[in-house]
Amino acid sequence: MNVFINDIPLILKKSNEKVYRHHYDLVLDAENHFTSKDLVGDVLIKRADPQLIDRIVRLMEVKKLKKLNSLTLVANKKKQLIEHLKDQFKIVKAGGGLVLKDGKILMIYRLGVWDLPKGKLNKGEKVEAGALREVEEECNITVEVLSKLPKTWHSYAYKGKKILKKTSWYLMACTDDSLMKPQAEEFIEEVRWMTPEEAMEVLPKAYTSIAFIVREYLQSLKSGKV
C-alpha cells in the first residue's frame, strides 16, 4: 500500500519483510519517545500498532514535516494496521494513466505542478474504463491499456472531511493525439510528451505520488519487466 499524507510517503511493512537499517537516517521503536522535530530524512519505526498510526497521521496532517522524506512502519499485523488507517478516512476511488508514444511519456501541467492525467470514477464505473475516460478527457487523445501499474493512496481534506483517494494506475499507449489539447475545465495548462530523461528532470516539481509512479515505470523498463 503506497500511501502519501501531505505528499510524504508512509510505507507499511510486515515484520518478516527484509528491512535494511542502513537505508534509514533514524530507526525507532513504537515505544520510544519522539517528537515531530526528530522525524528527519528517511525514518523507520518498528513494532507499529494502531495507536502509533493515529499519532503518526495526526503529526503528518498537522505538522509541516519539511525535513521528513519518508516514514516506514513495521508491524506484526500489517493488514490490521492498513484497515485501521483506512477507517480514519472517507475512501474515494480514482483512475489514471502513464501514457506512452514512441518511447515518450505524457505529462500534464496543472496548478503549478507536473502531473499525470487522472480523475475520480463515476458512480458504478469500472476502474479501467474510468481511467481511460479521464485520460482521454483531460488530454483530448485516444488511448488503450497495456498493463497495470501500482496503486497509490493520498490524503487531503475536503469540506471538513478527511479523504483518502485510491488511484488505480495503468500503463497506456496513445493511439491518436492529432487533436491533443489540455482540458481547461480541469485547470490543465499544458500537455507535453517527454523523454524519460525530461520526465525525470521535472519530477522535483511533481507530487511525490506521481514521481513514485514514473520512477516505478522507468525502473521496470530498465529491468526489462515491461
Side-chain angles (χ1 to χ4, degrees):
M1 186 179 185
N2 306 297
V3 188
F4 299 84
I5 298 179
N6 262 344
D7 215 30
I8 299 172
L10 176 62
I11 303 155
L12 305 178
K13 288 182 176 286
K14 283 184 180 179
S15 54
N16 60 358
E17 290 183 62
K18 282 188 177 179
V19 174
Y20 300 97
R21 292 175 67 97
H22 65 277
H23 289 172
Y24 300 93
D25 300 295
L26 178 65
V27 177
L28 297 167
D29 189 275
E31 294 183 357
N32 292 151
H33 174 74
F34 64 89
T35 68
S36 59
K37 293 180 181 178
D38 298 314
L39 302 178
V40 176
D42 296 300
V43 177
L44 172 73
I45 303 179
K46 298 181 294 181
R47 296 200 295 170
D49 56 21
Q51 290 73 33
L52 179 71
I53 278 280
D54 293 344
R55 184 184 175 198
I56 288 299
V57 169
R58 281 197 301 271
L59 280 176
M60 295 178 78
E61 288 177 335
V62 175
K63 300 286 185 179
K64 291 184 179 179
L65 305 176
K66 294 181 179 180
K67 295 182 179 180
L68 179 62
N69 296 331
S70 70
L71 184 57
T72 300
L73 304 182
V74 179
N76 290 327
K77 298 179 180 179
K78 179 182 172 182
K79 285 185 180 179
Q80 180 184 343
L81 215 59
I82 288 173
E83 291 308 313
H84 184 78
L85 176 64
K86 289 180 184 178
D87 285 344
Q88 299 185 47
F89 299 88
K90 177 184 177 183
I91 307 297
V92 170
K93 294 181 180 180
L98 190 154
V99 185
L100 303 174
K101 183 185 178 185
D102 299 327
K104 293 185 176 181
I105 297 169
L106 187 63
M107 301 290 293
I108 66 173
Y109 192 70
R110 171 169 30 205
L111 299 174
V113 181
W114 285 103
D115 203 346
L116 293 172
K118 65 184 185 305
K120 294 179 187 176
L121 303 181
N122 292 330
K123 188 175 182 180
E125 188 174 32
K126 298 290 186 183
V127 179
E128 185 175 311
L132 283 167
R133 176 185 54 76
E134 283 292 340
V135 170
E136 293 184 339
E137 287 178 356
E138 292 198 338
C139 304
N140 204 44
I141 60 176
T142 58
V143 293
E144 60 184 11
V145 168
L146 299 175
S147 60
K148 291 182 178 181
L149 291 169
K151 296 179 178 65
T152 59
W153 302 71
H154 78 271
S155 70
Y156 61 95
Y158 181 70
K159 294 184 177 179
K161 292 183 179 179
K162 291 169 56 174
I163 309 294
L164 190 62
K165 182 186 282 186
K166 175 187 178 182
T167 304
S168 298
W169 293 99
Y170 295 87
L171 188 64
M172 300 180 180
C174 179
T175 55
D176 185 3
D177 65 346
S178 58
L179 299 175
M180 185 171 76
K181 65 177 181 179
Q183 187 181 21
E185 307 91 89
E186 291 295 326
F187 309 104
I188 303 171
E189 300 169 47
E190 185 180 355
V191 181
R192 187 194 302 181
W193 291 109
M194 296 186 182
T195 64
E197 294 76 19
E198 289 169 336
M200 287 296 292
E201 284 180 11
V202 303
L203 289 189
K205 296 179 182 178
Y207 295 112
T208 308
S209 56
I210 299 301
F212 167 77
I213 291 296
V214 173
R215 289 193 177 105
E216 281 285 306
Y217 163 68
L218 293 177
Q219 188 61 42
S220 63
L221 196 63
K222 274 186 182 179
S223 62
K225 291 180 181 178
V226 295

